[in-house]
Amino acid sequence: MSLRNSTNRVAPDPSIGEGLLNLLAGLTLDTPTLVFSIGALALFMSVFAFNTAYALPASDMGLRSWGLAMLTLCGGFMLLFLRGHAPLALTYVLANSLVLLSSVICVNAHARLLEMATPWRTLAAVNALGVLSTAPVYLGWLPRGASIFTLSLTLAVNFAISARMIWRHRTERESPAGLLAAGILGSMAVTSVLRGLHGLGGDHGTVQLNPHLLPQIGSLMLGALFTVGSSLAFLAMVNERQRHELEARARRDGLTGLLTRTAFFEAAQAYLAEPGGKHFGVVMMDIDWFKKINDRHGHAAGDTTLSQLGRLIAQHTRLSDLAGRYGGEEFCLLLKDCTMAEAQRVAQELVGEAARQNVRLPDGGTLRFTLSAGYAQRQGLHESLEQVINRADQALYDAKHAGRNRAMAALPTPLPATLPESRSAAAPSGRTEEAGGSQAA
């Protein structure tokens, strides 16, 4: 007998499903309980956000705004919970105003996190309409459903503004947390619209697990889920940004602010792999008599000189170019899509500007320094990045021997008879400065 024929099939017991349905049918979720739960969840998320902001005092990233938004949301829902036990001006007008205000502060928190401008004028106009819609209901001029419709649409607009900001920022930088946050906020906007449309049909004081009341069940249960989900998504975005900033810092030299040697070659190889990464120039620079600066003024003066030169290089290069600290007091520039004349202009400008610098030392004194540079342009696809750097480095060596404080062009190399089959990916090692040795500050 085959194994397939010998297998016994167990039919599902219909009594299990019937028992679950009977259990659910006996449950009743009243509105005050759900409203209080959302308020409590908002309070918990507020405390969590404020605690995280306290742990990151150097960078707020919108955490305090998010904590304030959740605290405001908690206040609004706690006032809603007191409906029937407190004046309607508090439990309806003020409560709904606080809920709208919380969504506005959420938009501001997202803007601060994404380093974008908060659309205050749009938010003020839209939310003023939402708040004013509560007055006719409070005075008995309109049914409550009309106010629910206006308030829900106002919330939908606020959620949509946040979702749009996050989505725009996500297109600039891949962000899984941003995708999650935008999805949650977009769902909140759609749910608010549906809640507003349903509110036109009347209000219900009790929410039961009944097919006829599923829209109210969805609005309150999803409200609790959205409170937690949007907060967790926001905190995930904060963590993501913090990770990106740490990675960016690791790629930068702490003294000069330029790329580290490893990061420079990684970025350069990435540029060469691009379709347009064929033509470029290289400028190699070195501070003249840097060892004497360290010996005469101390290593703190050397550090200050390196830091000032790093700022000078950043000011005289395009954002698309790559500038890195090659080693010690030596720096390297990769000028994208650059001609030999352009490389010469950049090198001469940096040499001339360096000679005019006055370095203010920690002890109050000043010093001046000069710069030597060598520059080269890629001669063709047969020449690797390392070969161009070596030619520029040799030109820098020639500038040193020619008297320093000058920029010299690299000599061209003869074209090879055949293209090499492989390239060495290793970066050329740095060269020590003039006789006597060189010290990095």
Side-chain angles (χ1 to χ4, degrees):
M1 180 182 296
S2 65
L3 181 61
R4 176 184 297 180
N5 295 332
S6 62
T7 302
N8 295 326
R9 300 183 181 276
V10 179
D13 186 359
S15 63
I16 298 178
E18 293 176 358
L20 289 175
L21 290 177
N22 293 332
L23 177 62
L24 293 176
L27 293 177
T28 301
L29 297 176
D30 61 284
T31 304
T33 301
L34 291 173
V35 168
F36 182 85
S37 299
I38 295 175
L41 288 172
L43 178 61
F44 174 79
M45 290 300 161
S46 173
V47 173
F48 196 83
F50 280 124
N51 184 64
T52 306
Y54 179 78
L56 301 172
S59 181
D60 175 67
M61 293 185 287
L63 283 166
R64 289 180 176 84
S65 294
W66 190 266
L68 180 60
M70 291 295 104
L71 189 61
T72 306
L73 182 65
C74 172
F77 271 87
M78 288 306 174
L79 286 176
L80 290 174
F81 175 71
L82 296 176
R83 184 173 296 175
H85 304 280
L88 193 62
L90 295 178
T91 60
Y92 187 75
V93 178
L94 181 58
N96 284 290
S97 299
L98 288 177
V99 172
L100 290 180
L101 179 60
S102 70
S103 64
V104 171
I105 302 175
C106 284
V107 175
N108 179 56
H110 284 117
R112 292 171 65 89
L113 174 61
L114 303 175
E115 298 181 325
M116 302 174 67
T118 304
W120 289 116
R121 292 184 179 179
T122 302
L123 290 171
V126 172
N127 288 271
L129 179 62
V131 172
L132 292 176
S133 69
T134 61
V137 175
Y138 174 70
L139 297 174
W141 297 346
L142 289 176
R144 188 175 298 177
S147 180
I148 292 177
F149 176 75
T150 307
L151 290 169
S152 298
L153 289 186
T154 304
L155 285 173
V157 172
N158 294 340
F159 296 146
I161 291 175
S162 287
R164 182 174 180 270
M165 285 195 305
I166 296 172
W167 187 261
R168 285 174 54 192
H169 185 268
R170 179 187 171 276
T171 57
E172 301 173 1
R173 176 188 296 174
E174 190 64 26
S175 172
L179 177 62
L180 174 63
I184 291 175
L185 289 166
S187 301
M188 292 170 70
V190 173
T191 303
S192 296
V193 172
L194 295 177
R195 172 66 180 126
L197 295 175
H198 179 259
L200 291 176
D203 298 325
H204 301 276
T206 303
V207 177
Q208 295 181 341
L209 288 178
N210 186 296
H212 300 292
L213 299 179
L214 285 179
Q216 282 193 354
I217 295 175
S219 63
L220 290 171
M221 295 298 293
L222 289 178
L225 293 176
F226 286 153
T227 300
V228 177
S230 60
S231 295
L232 293 180
F234 182 85
L235 293 173
M237 291 176 63
V238 169
N239 180 67
E240 198 171 62
R241 175 180 160 181
Q242 194 176 22
R243 187 176 69 253
H244 285 311
E245 290 180 350
L246 290 175
E247 292 175 353
R249 290 195 196 102
R251 292 174 55 84
R252 294 283 174 178
D253 177 64
L255 191 60
T256 63
L258 304 179
L259 293 173
T260 63
R261 180 187 176 102
T262 301
F264 174 84
F265 277 100
E266 289 177 352
Q269 294 297 342
Y271 167 70
L272 294 179
E274 297 176 358
K278 299 178 181 179
H279 308 287
F280 61 88
V282 170
V283 179
M284 295 292 295
M285 296 163 288
D286 190 281
I287 299 177
D288 297 327
W289 304 115
F290 185 71
K291 184 178 184 297
K292 291 184 178 180
I293 294 177
N294 279 332
D295 293 342
R296 182 176 303 173
H297 301 281
H299 287 277
D303 290 348
T304 305
T305 304
L306 289 170
S307 179
Q308 185 157 329
L309 179 57
R311 292 192 297 270
L312 180 66
I313 292 173
Q315 293 170 0
H316 283 76
T317 53
R318 300 170 299 182
L319 294 177
S320 59
D321 296 330
L322 302 177
R325 186 178 179 185
Y326 198 72
E329 69 278 12
E330 196 168 11
F331 298 83
C332 184
L333 288 180
L334 186 145
L335 308 174
K336 298 180 180 180
D337 196 19
C338 176
T339 64
M340 192 66 172
E342 292 171 336
Q344 179 185 21
R345 176 184 59 80
V346 172
Q348 290 179 346
E349 284 183 357
L350 286 169
V351 169
E353 190 63 31
R356 293 188 286 270
Q357 295 290 306
N358 282 317
V359 181
R360 188 174 299 275
L361 302 179
D363 59 3
T366 60
L367 68 81
R368 302 175 71 90
F369 69 96
T370 59
L371 196 66
S372 297
Y375 57 92
Q377 182 194 20
R378 190 184 193 185
Q379 294 179 329
L381 298 180
H382 67 280
E383 191 174 28
S384 67
L385 170 65
E386 291 77 13
Q387 290 172 328
V388 181
I389 291 178
N390 284 335
R391 289 199 298 116
D393 200 45
Q394 182 60 46
L396 169 60
Y397 184 78
D398 295 338
K400 292 281 188 183
H401 282 269
R404 299 178 175 81
N405 190 25
R406 67 193 64 209
M408 295 190 67
L411 296 175
T413 56
L415 296 177
T418 59
L419 293 178
E421 296 182 359
S422 61
R423 303 290 188 193
S424 174
S429 59
R431 174 182 43 75
T432 57
E433 208 200 296
E434 48 269 40
S438 169
Q439 283 186 326

